[in-house]
């Protein structure tokens, strides 16, 4: 048998190159340690961001009516007017712009008006207006039981507390403030939009806030869509679905 002879091989490295390699390795280690340190330092900030996503409910239950004569309540007068002068098809849904108390009808059934404040009397078609800083556009097809109102709100639009408290009795005010409840992030700068829905048959107030995507009001399906300052409310007459 032949035995192989193994010889140790040595390489010569210049001193400057050797210490340069050592320095590079040390720099890489230091960079890794620094990166880990920054990651650990950022961890509390990440937790803080998560904490900011905690949802909280905002209510307006502490509002108290300042209306001296309850007979002048805007919502009571609205309901009384409907009873005294019933309009064909007026048992459907209305949208109230609270800061000006403009009542817009969703023309879902033949014989409605498009908006009392605007003075429109057509059953269908397109109507528009500008009220209290809010631009609105309504359209409807009563024969198909479909209607829509699109609104553009001003920046930082919120309920006018003074106006609402001065013009509603406490009973009606409680209905309106209950409809203004909404949810938001703990650190989110947000207020309720000054809108609510009115069931003309029962005289009940319903929410038009962005934590609702849709719901039934008797025979009417309501859909809500929010995008920054744009609000879209669609309604459908579905008597067999409710």
């Amino acid at each position: 048998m032949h035995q192989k002879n193994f010889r140790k091989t040595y390489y010569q490295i210049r001193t400057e190159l050797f210490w340069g390699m050592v320095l590079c390795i040390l720099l890489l280690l230091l960079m890794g340690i620094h990166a880990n340190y920054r990651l650990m330092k950022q961890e509390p900030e990440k937790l803080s961001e998560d904490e900011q996503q905690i949802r909280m409910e905002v209510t307006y239950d502490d509002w108290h009516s300042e209306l001296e004569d309850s007979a002048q309540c805007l919502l009571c007068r609205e309901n009384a007017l409907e009873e005294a002068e019933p309009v064909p098809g007026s048992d459907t849904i209305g949208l109230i712009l609270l800061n000006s108390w403009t009542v817009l009808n969703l023309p879902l059934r033949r014989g409605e008006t498009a908006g009392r404040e605007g003075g429109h009397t057509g059953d269908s078609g397109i109507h528009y207006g500008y009220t209290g800083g809010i631009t609105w556009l309504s359209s409807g097809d009563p024969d198909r039981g479909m209607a829509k109102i699109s609104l553009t709100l001003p920046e930082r639009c919120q309920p006018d507390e003074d106006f609402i408290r001065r013009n509603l009795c406490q009973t009606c005010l409680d209905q309106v403030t209950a409809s203004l409840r909404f949810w938001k992030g703990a650190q989110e700068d947000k207020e309720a939009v000054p809108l609510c829905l009115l069931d003309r048959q029962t005289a009940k107030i319903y929410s038009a806030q962005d934590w609702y995507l849709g719901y039934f009001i008797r025979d009417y399906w309501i859909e809500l869509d929010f995008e920054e300052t744009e609000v879209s409310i669609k309604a459908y007459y579905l008597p067999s679905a409710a």
Side-chain angles (χ1 to χ4, degrees):
M1 297 178 63
H2 296 281
Q3 293 184 350
K4 294 183 179 179
N5 295 323
F6 294 94
R7 293 185 304 173
K8 295 182 179 180
T9 304
Y10 297 93
Y11 296 92
Q12 291 184 345
I13 301 177
R14 296 180 60 180
T15 304
E16 308 93 85
L17 182 60
F18 172 77
W19 288 112
M21 292 172 61
V22 172
L23 182 60
C24 288
I25 293 172
L26 289 174
L27 286 174
L28 289 172
L29 289 172
L30 289 173
M31 289 174 63
I33 293 171
H34 181 65
N36 288 331
Y37 173 76
R38 292 186 60 187
L39 183 62
M40 293 175 64
K41 190 176 180 181
Q42 289 177 354
E43 190 64 24
E45 296 178 2
K46 183 177 180 181
L47 291 174
S48 177
E49 291 175 1
D50 291 340
E51 291 175 356
Q52 292 178 9
Q53 298 307 312
I54 296 174
R55 308 293 286 176
M56 60 180 291
E57 185 181 27
V58 179
T59 66
Y60 298 82
D61 297 337
D62 59 342
W63 286 13
H64 300 288
S65 174
E66 295 181 354
L67 183 64
E68 296 181 358
D69 182 3
S70 59
Q72 300 301 314
C73 172
L74 292 176
L75 182 55
C76 289
R77 290 169 60 186
E78 187 75 28
N79 298 333
L81 182 60
E82 291 294 335
E83 294 177 1
E85 303 177 14
V87 178
S90 64
D91 67 332
T92 59
I93 307 301
L95 175 68
I96 302 178
L97 313 186
L98 290 171
N99 289 351
S100 60
W101 202 263
T102 302
V103 184
L104 306 175
N105 283 346
L106 285 155
L108 290 158
R109 299 173 68 182
R110 183 63 61 185
E112 293 181 351
T113 60
R116 180 169 298 155
E117 292 293 330
H120 302 298
T121 58
D123 290 334
S124 60
I126 299 175
H127 307 284
Y128 62 90
Y130 178 81
T131 309
I134 297 176
T135 302
W136 55 267
L137 176 71
S138 69
S139 61
D141 187 345
D143 293 328
R144 300 175 62 189
M146 303 169 58
K148 176 182 178 180
I149 298 179
S150 299
L151 307 103
T152 301
L153 309 180
E155 293 291 337
R156 299 194 63 81
C157 186
Q158 63 188 52
D160 185 339
E161 180 179 353
D162 291 338
F163 175 83
I164 295 172
R165 291 172 60 187
R166 288 199 312 267
N167 288 282
L168 294 178
C169 67
Q170 190 62 51
T171 300
C172 292
L173 180 62
D174 290 342
Q175 278 202 75
V176 169
T177 54
S179 75
L180 294 177
R181 288 198 301 258
F182 69 97
W183 292 80
K184 70 170 187 174
Q187 302 300 320
E188 187 177 3
D189 183 13
K190 181 180 177 182
E191 294 286 346
V193 293
L195 306 171
C196 66
L197 290 162
L198 170 66
D199 181 347
R200 292 192 176 282
Q201 185 179 88
T202 64
K204 290 183 178 180
I205 294 292
Y206 290 84
S207 177
Q209 302 304 313
D210 64 0
W211 64 305
Y212 282 105
L213 296 178
Y215 52 83
F216 270 106
I217 300 177
R218 292 186 295 110
D219 293 338
Y220 305 98
W221 172 248
I222 310 297
E223 291 183 0
L224 301 98
D225 183 55
F226 296 80
E227 185 174 350
E228 296 182 353
T229 59
E230 305 295 323
V231 181
S232 174
I233 298 176
K234 300 177 182 178
Y236 305 90
Y237 179 49
L238 302 173
S240 61

